[in-house]
Amino acid sequence: MPVFTGLSVRQFRRLVRIVAGRGGEQTGTGRRWSLPLADRVLLIAVYYRTNLTLRQVALLFGVSKSAAHRVVDHLAPLLALAPVTRRHSPDTVLIVDGTLVPVHDRTVTASSKNYRYSVNMQVVIDANTRLVVPVGRLVPGNHNDCTAFRDSGADAACRGAYVMADGGYQGNRQVIMPYRRPRDGSELPTWKHELNTVHKRVRARVEHAFAHMKWWNTLRNCRRKRDGVHHATRGIALMRILTMAG
């Protein structure tokens, strides 16, 4: 289970309960799924973790490629991290940063600085718990962080809280960034250097979150299309929360 999903058995059972609570169980009449709910959730978790093709994943579960495709399309939205709908308390400190996710679907991507077609994924974590709060709506990879923060809706998800970020978020007044050297080339005062050091140490937590999320190999080369890419990023965010919660 840990190798193929990144979750322990206990964490996986909790994930199944979450999906079931959101309506994943089959109800009413109609064509029945060939796999029980737990196996269907496992199929998606394996797909995200290993980044095997759906044809390969289907062979592992003894179903057809089209059946595996239907499972992912049906359950991926139910497995995704729920969006933030409340205002944060004034003492909450969040950290935001963006990372590029290579995606095959060129209708949602753009050629970015790494010369690959990718999307910009804005991730916000709680500075204390290090848990992902929201994942912004994906934007083409040629958007820089300062505009992706607004275009993705991550700024709205951070309302009411203090937000820390690197120097790439110029123009967003709610974001706390490190001090920059004056335009005349003079050195920063010692107290500003010290604050920048503390800022950098705290902000590194979001980089650790990216490294952990990319254990799920779909974020290294995503084959999903359109909204499927967004569901995959939010699904991985939810599974990361489960691994950290124990």
Side-chain angles (χ1 to χ4, degrees):
M1 186 69 70
V3 173
F4 284 98
T5 68
L7 304 171
S8 68
V9 174
R10 178 182 176 184
Q11 292 160 356
F12 176 75
R13 288 173 178 169
R14 186 178 177 188
L15 179 63
V16 174
R17 289 196 298 269
I18 291 173
V19 175
R22 294 175 176 179
E25 289 282 9
Q26 187 164 6
T27 59
T29 60
R31 184 178 178 182
R32 311 298 294 180
W33 291 101
S34 59
L35 297 174
L37 179 61
D39 285 354
R40 284 181 278 140
V41 175
L42 180 62
L43 185 151
I44 298 179
V46 170
Y47 179 52
Y48 288 167
R49 178 71 166 185
T50 64
N51 204 29
L52 296 171
T53 64
L54 281 176
R55 187 182 300 276
Q56 293 169 322
V57 172
L59 289 174
L60 292 176
F61 287 83
V63 297
S64 65
K65 176 187 174 182
S66 59
H69 199 285
R70 288 194 301 272
V71 168
V72 175
D73 284 347
H74 179 251
L75 287 187
L78 304 180
L79 194 141
L81 179 67
V84 176
T85 57
R86 59 178 177 81
R87 188 180 182 89
H88 297 284
S89 61
D91 58 345
T92 302
V93 179
L94 305 176
I95 312 171
V96 62
D97 203 358
T99 188
L100 295 176
V101 178
V103 175
H104 286 208
D105 183 6
R106 295 197 177 184
T107 63
V108 297
T109 63
S111 180
S112 51
K113 61 184 180 182
N114 60 2
Y115 304 105
R116 300 182 68 180
Y117 281 84
S118 58
V119 294
N120 185 317
M121 180 177 69
Q122 294 286 305
V123 173
V124 182
I125 69 167
D126 187 294
N128 294 317
T129 64
R130 307 193 184 202
L131 299 178
V132 176
V133 180
V135 175
R137 193 76 184 171
L138 301 176
V139 297
N142 60 353
H143 285 50
N144 53 35
D145 286 337
C146 64
T147 58
F149 180 61
R150 299 188 296 270
D151 296 344
S152 67
D155 59 340
C158 296
R159 63 184 183 276
Y162 294 103
V163 184
M164 299 178 64
D166 60 27
Y169 286 79
Q170 296 291 331
N172 295 286
R173 294 184 178 181
Q174 71 187 101
V175 177
I176 303 170
M177 292 172 289
Y179 289 102
R180 305 180 70 180
R181 292 182 62 177
R183 293 184 178 181
D184 60 8
S186 59
E187 294 293 330
L188 288 174
T190 302
W191 66 272
K192 287 188 176 181
H193 271 298
E194 292 174 350
L195 286 177
N196 281 355
T197 300
V198 174
H199 186 283
K200 183 177 180 179
R201 186 180 302 120
V202 175
R203 186 171 48 81
R205 297 173 185 177
V206 74
E207 300 292 345
H208 300 159
F210 283 142
H212 190 189
M213 291 176 70
K214 289 186 177 181
W215 285 358
W216 284 271
N217 287 322
T218 289
L219 293 187
R220 298 183 181 275
N221 189 18
C222 186
R223 297 186 182 89
R224 302 297 294 154
K225 295 182 179 180
R226 297 179 291 277
D227 285 344
V229 182
H230 187 56
H231 295 325
T233 57
R234 292 194 297 153
I236 290 169
L238 176 60
M239 288 192 285
R240 178 180 180 270
I241 289 175
L242 293 178
T243 62
M244 296 187 68

